[in-house]
Amino acid sequence: MQFNLYIGSNNETGQVDQEIIIRWLTNAFDGFTVIPSIGYYKGKPEASMVVTIFTDQKDRFFMIEFIKGLAVVLKQESIGMQSVYSDGSNSLDWIMP
């Protein structure tokens, strides 16, 4: 299964907490891809990050709980999660702590 995470900048600093994000991901997954990006929140650009994870060891329920914890640590209102299934279908959710 493939998961794409859409993580915005810290609401207080305006920066992406890349070290914290990578530490959390490394503790949970063998591999992942990080893509720095520019996102828009309420019409304003902000530093953001897209993370792609391919795994057959973690399910959607695990990912939701993982993202809730990450959102708390990063002081995020929400983190976007796109789930891509083996049949090609997908869903997008905004996970809140």
Side-chain angles (χ1 to χ4, degrees), residues 7 17-29 32-34 49 51 66 70 74:
I7 306 170
D17 294 321
Q18 184 169 328
E19 287 183 26
I20 294 171
I21 295 166
I22 290 174
R23 189 174 334 118
W24 268 68
L25 291 165
T26 301
N27 288 331
F29 303 100
F32 49 88
T33 301
V34 173
M49 179 180 287
V51 177
F66 175 82
L70 183 59
L74 296 176

Side-chain angles (χ1 to χ4, degrees), residues 5-62:
L5 310 183
Y6 301 93
I7 306 170
S9 59
N10 180 301
N11 292 333
E12 295 173 2
T13 67
Q15 301 296 314
V16 174
D17 294 321
Q18 184 169 328
E19 287 183 26
I20 294 171
I21 295 166
I22 290 174
R23 189 174 334 118
W24 268 68
L25 291 165
T26 301
N27 288 331
F29 303 100
D30 291 335
F32 49 88
T33 301
V34 173
I35 304 166
S37 61
I38 301 296
Y40 284 80
Y41 181 69
K42 296 184 178 179
K44 295 183 180 181
E46 67 175 39
S48 63
M49 179 180 287
V50 178
V51 177
T52 300
I53 303 162
F54 288 94
T55 182
D56 58 357
Q57 298 174 349
K58 310 292 185 191
D59 61 15
R60 195 167 178 281
F61 177 76
F62 171 87

